Amino acid sequence: MDNLPKTDYMYICVYKIQNKCNIMEIKTIGVLTSGGDAPGMNACIRAVTRAAIYQHWKVYGIYRGWEGLINDEVRELTTESVSNTIQRGGTILKTARSEEFRKPEGRKKAHETLVKYGIDALIVIGGNGSLSGALELAKEYDFPVIGLPGTIDNDLYGTDSTIGYDTALNTIVQCVDKIRDTATSHDRIFFVEVMGRDAGFLTQNSAIAAGAEAAIIPEDCTDIDQLATFIGRGIRKSKNSSIVLVSEKDGGAMHYADRVRKEYPQYDVRVSILGHLQRGGTPTAYDRILSSRLGVAAIEALNEGQRNIMVGIKNDQIVYVPIARAIKWDKPIDKELIHVLGVLSI
Ligand code: F6P
């Protein structure tokens, strides 16, 4: 912990002192995955399970996220339950987006299940919505939760990377490499739509990695028209084909393709929406290692009395971020990434 950046380190110290009075002995934990699945979630479930058993704690897997907690879909996990899972995409615990958990009655039922199984603390692997739910439950019932950032979107504040982001990035780059073959052969402009909800991390970084001509991301949507900028740079001056990666928000690739067809009819335009294939597949080594480190760190954080934090990674060091901050604070895109793509796409 001494290697942590000072601000994070100071924060952790303060947070631990604030929570010291609540330190309790943990004997049993629950783990669930919630929201969109992400490659590496299984590696994380495995790490949480084995690290907890290493502490001689009992582990319950909760199936289908908050829905499963409400509907009592709970099963004990052993070291064997998580064998042969580190390499698998998706989540063996299944996942869901729960409307019922948004309501106090839903959370009441969820809490009753926790009490029924004697669960002392809950590990929640998921994105923004899932960690918001975890915080609600924690506050309403004074229940210890630890969040782990599991989403391909990489949009949680306080962590450099989220579980699944690296795998999705590599998947997108592989797809764009293939699209490039046909775009070049036909001298076409391709608008390729990338996931990320409100965040442009996947779009911006896959554009750099795939050598795309431009990226259109929500974070760069000021009053400057990104499409006009791209066209204005002269897309066809030196190249006969172009690849533009577009974040899914606000009409995505279709919106920009329609505009080009209307405003610049001289260009031959196609759209490719990558869709849910971005969420599947075997996790990269980076995601497996990240998931394993975060899973072990979550158990160790609980053991030292932490609660209501998200465990993340900053400058390759484990950090604790209050969940409230991880979900509410904006995670900015480094302007340098926008500059790099601009320079390299001439
Ligand atoms: O949050 C992960 C994510 O894949 C987003 O990138 C995307 O906007 C959303 O989930 C899609 O959700 P669903 O699978 O419910 O359609």
Side-chain angles (χ1 to χ4, degrees), residues 35-288:
D37 61 326
M41 279 183 164
N42 287 328
C44 194
I45 297 163
R46 171 181 179 269
V48 164
T49 304
R50 292 199 172 162
I53 292 171
Y54 185 82
Q55 303 276 1
H56 306 291
W57 296 351
K58 194 169 184 172
V59 185
Y60 283 111
I62 294 142
Y63 288 74
R64 291 179 187 78
W66 300 120
E67 282 294 296
L69 196 55
I70 291 167
N71 299 322
D72 195 355
E73 290 188 69
V74 181
R75 252 177 274 157
E76 189 176 347
L77 297 178
T78 61
T79 51
E80 292 76 27
S81 326
V82 291
S83 293
N84 198 13
T85 59
I86 195 167
Q87 77 284 18
R88 285 164 61 189
T91 159
I92 54 165
L93 290 180
K94 311 263 184 174
T95 187
R97 300 193 194 278
S98 174
E99 276 309 312
E100 207 182 344
F101 191 75
R102 290 176 193 274
K103 301 177 196 140
E105 310 84 68
R107 292 195 290 276
K108 183 167 176 285
K109 282 194 211 157
H111 182 250
E112 282 163 9
T113 309
L114 291 168
V115 173
K116 175 175 167 187
Y117 288 90
I119 294 172
D120 302 311
L122 186 62
I123 310 274
V124 177
I125 309 166
N128 219 291
S130 311
L131 299 196
S132 306
L135 193 58
E136 282 294 309
L137 182 83
K139 279 191 204 151
E140 267 170 23
Y141 293 95
D142 190 23
F143 195 85
V145 296
I146 301 283
L148 290 175
T151 166
I152 63 164
D153 301 340
N154 198 29
D155 57 351
L156 286 159
Y157 176 87
T159 186
D160 288 339
S161 192
T162 55
I163 294 165
Y165 170 64
D166 183 66
T167 307
L169 200 53
N170 280 284
T171 302
I172 295 163
V173 171
Q174 284 167 16
C175 292
V176 175
D177 287 349
K178 292 186 204 307
I179 291 171
R180 169 83 70 191
D181 292 343
T182 178
T184 312
S185 305
H186 284 265
D187 288 343
R188 282 174 171 160
I189 302 177
F190 263 84
F191 287 91
V192 182
E193 186 173 302
V194 172
M195 274 187 174
R197 204 179 288 276
D198 298 330
F201 294 97
L202 283 173
T203 308
Q204 188 65 33
N205 281 318
S206 56
I208 294 174
E213 278 63 37
I216 298 180
I217 57 169
E219 292 86 344
D220 204 20
C221 273
T222 48
D223 46 348
I224 299 162
D225 184 337
Q226 294 184 72
L227 181 66
T229 311
F230 163 61
I231 300 279
R233 276 209 312 261
I235 35 172
R236 291 208 165 187
K237 274 191 189 140
S238 59
K239 298 171 186 173
N240 291 327
S241 66
S242 290
I243 306 272
V244 181
L245 298 200
V246 186
S247 290
E248 63 180 335
K249 205 184 171 197
D250 298 333
M254 212 57 100
H255 167 75
Y256 287 98
D258 285 347
R259 272 195 55 193
V260 173
R261 285 187 185 114
K262 276 193 205 112
E263 296 169 34
Y264 311 92
Q266 66 274 31
Y267 296 128
D268 191 9
V269 174
R270 291 292 185 277
V271 167
S272 188
I273 297 174
L274 299 183
H276 286 78
L277 70 78
Q278 295 164 93
R279 284 220 309 246
T282 185
T284 57
Y286 179 88
D287 269 331
R288 296 182 199 194

Side-chain angles (χ1 to χ4, degrees), residues 299-317:
I299 296 303
E300 289 174 359
L302 264 183
N303 204 25
E304 49 180 70
Q306 293 288 340
R307 56 198 295 173
N308 305 355
I309 52 143
M310 180 190 82
V311 181
I313 193 119
K314 271 258 163 215
N315 303 322
D316 205 33
Q317 300 288 317

